[in-house]
Amino acid sequence: MDENVSLARLTHRLEEVVSELRGVPVDVERLTDGELILRQVAHALGTSDELRAMYPTGTPEVGRRGSKNMPDLLDALRRGMRVRLITHASMLDDPVKAGRLREMHAAGALCRVTDEPIQQLLVFDRSVAFLRMTPVDHAPGALLIRQQSLIAAFVDLFELTWAGSREATEPAYRLTPREHEVLALIAEGRSNSAVARALSITEAAVGKHVAGVFAKLGLPTTEDDNRRVLAVLAYLRGSVQ
């Protein structure tokens, strides 16, 4: 379907919702307490069967470990929650965030990425939604929405964005131009010192670029695997961007 037609239909749908809500009490709650928002999200994660989520940048808050107060999306996935997640493509530039996406995918989440601007949104079971109060990354506050017409419109927005996004089940690893050059030379069988001479940079700089490549490819130090070989194989398979 033509994208302009889809957007026109979505715009018309939103206009219908606004018209329907004129004069009708809207079940929308403004939340400014961060801890309260976390508790509300944690409750939804523990009781819902389905989640549609969009994240503009950064590691998804509902999917981050390391805080005793932070609800963990992985726990919800393990208990069987169906999850579809759309993130901005810039998240793949960070090896930690890209690794988190791979971890969630391995646990059962369906993940896609988009280059278009998106707003942070969580929709649980078509019954409750959380929307970032202001369209700025890490801005405090959220809207808790239970009004069904609004939720239906958010679901339409999610589905339209999902249809226009690309699969991230095996996220492409986005290297910097210099990391590409270094990896390409490694693929030719060159040592770090040879790469340094070819690029007119220091060997220490090459080492930093190689470490960055390993991190983005999720290649930890082990006794059993040769990370240079694994990185070259990923490069030759075309799974590195």
Side-chain angles (χ1 to χ4, degrees):
M1 181 183 297
D2 184 84
E3 183 177 357
N4 291 330
V5 174
S6 298
L7 288 172
R9 289 184 177 179
L10 176 59
T11 301
H12 179 67
R13 173 64 178 140
L14 290 171
E15 291 173 347
E16 287 181 338
V17 170
V18 172
S19 178
E20 292 171 3
L21 293 177
R22 288 195 177 96
V24 177
V26 179
D27 194 353
V28 177
E29 184 177 356
R30 185 173 182 267
L31 304 178
T32 57
D33 185 320
E35 291 298 319
L36 176 58
I37 294 172
L38 289 179
R39 289 197 297 271
Q40 295 276 15
V41 171
H43 176 74
L45 278 171
T47 58
S48 303
D49 295 320
E50 182 180 45
L51 169 63
R52 294 173 173 86
M54 294 199 301
Y55 284 94
T57 58
T59 304
E61 282 87 341
V62 297
R64 184 189 302 153
R65 289 174 175 170
S67 171
K68 64 180 180 180
N69 298 317
M70 194 69 72
D72 191 353
L73 178 56
L74 286 177
D75 290 338
L77 285 164
R78 293 187 187 106
R79 72 169 178 80
M81 173 181 274
R82 300 184 303 278
V83 175
R84 283 192 290 159
L85 174 66
I86 303 171
T87 67
H88 192 268
S90 61
M91 193 177 295
L92 299 180
D93 293 331
D94 186 307
V96 174
K97 296 169 185 176
R100 184 59 177 174
L101 284 178
R102 291 196 297 273
E103 188 177 16
M104 288 190 288
H105 169 64
L110 301 179
C111 305
R112 289 191 176 187
V113 296
T114 178
D115 296 310
E116 299 301 321
I118 54 176
Q119 171 68 316
Q120 184 169 316
L121 172 68
L122 306 174
V123 181
F124 293 93
D125 284 350
R126 291 179 175 261
S127 62
V128 62
F130 295 84
L131 180 69
R132 188 189 295 278
M133 196 172 295
T134 56
V136 179
D137 193 30
H138 304 305
L143 298 178
L144 170 58
I145 302 164
R146 295 188 178 89
Q147 217 293 327
Q148 291 303 298
S149 295
L150 284 175
I151 290 176
F154 289 142
V155 169
D156 289 345
L157 172 61
F158 178 91
E159 296 298 343
L160 178 63
T161 307
W162 180 267
S165 302
R166 60 184 182 275
E167 295 290 343
T169 51
E170 294 293 339
Y173 304 102
R174 296 158 64 94
L175 305 184
T176 65
R178 179 64 84 186
E179 287 170 343
H180 264 291
E181 290 177 328
V182 168
L183 184 54
L185 290 170
I186 290 174
E188 294 177 3
R190 303 198 193 190
S191 64
N192 282 11
S193 59
V195 171
R197 289 193 298 272
L199 297 178
S200 299
I201 59 178
T202 66
E203 191 169 344
V206 173
K208 291 180 63 175
H209 291 309
V210 171
V213 170
F214 290 162
K216 289 182 178 180
L217 296 182
L219 300 175
T221 302
T222 68
E223 295 180 357
D224 299 324
D225 298 320
N226 186 314
R227 293 191 294 174
R228 291 176 76 92
V229 172
L230 293 176
V232 168
L233 288 174
Y235 174 78
L236 295 176
R237 286 197 300 264
S239 59
V240 176
Q241 289 188 356

